[in-house]
Amino acid sequence: MIKSELLKDKGVLIVSPVGPLAASDFEHLAQEIDPYIEQNGRLPSKIEKVAAVSDGGFLRIIPNVASHFVKAEIKHFNFDDKDKALEWLVTN
């Protein structure tokens, strides 16, 4: 299951996995974000920044791995630094 929150005023989508993920989770996420993308003319391929927030060791390596597949700037933040991650996402 995926929990999501769209901060429309900031142009930020917060996605939090909550248990095992299923294809229907991503379909539901697309139903939430697609209208925003259409309204604002922003395409998913134009994502500029991704903040991975976790205390898990695995996600610490995500920025290095993901940089081979996406052009977005990716940065890891500890779970206690969620506010810093959001601040980083909305600053240029």
Side-chain angles (χ1 to χ4, degrees), residues 5-91:
E5 180 182 3
L6 178 59
L7 306 178
K8 293 179 181 180
D9 60 324
K10 293 179 173 39
V12 171
L13 176 65
I14 298 172
V15 179
S16 305
V18 183
L21 301 179
S24 61
D25 294 324
F26 295 97
E27 292 168 4
H28 181 265
L29 187 61
Q31 290 173 355
E32 179 181 357
I33 194 66
D34 284 352
Y36 174 83
I37 292 169
E38 289 176 17
Q39 182 181 27
N40 292 285
R42 300 190 79 186
L43 301 175
S45 63
K46 299 290 184 184
I47 294 172
E48 297 171 7
K49 292 182 178 181
V50 175
V53 180
S54 169
D55 282 339
F58 174 73
L59 280 184
R60 293 180 196 277
I61 66 167
I62 290 295
N64 295 330
V65 174
S67 66
H68 296 287
F69 302 102
V70 297
K71 294 181 180 179
E73 182 179 358
I74 305 167
K75 189 171 179 180
H76 177 266
F77 294 86
N78 287 324
F79 191 77
D80 292 338
D81 294 330
K82 289 188 291 187
D83 292 336
K84 288 181 183 177
L86 183 57
E87 181 180 330
W88 176 76
L89 286 170
V90 299
T91 57

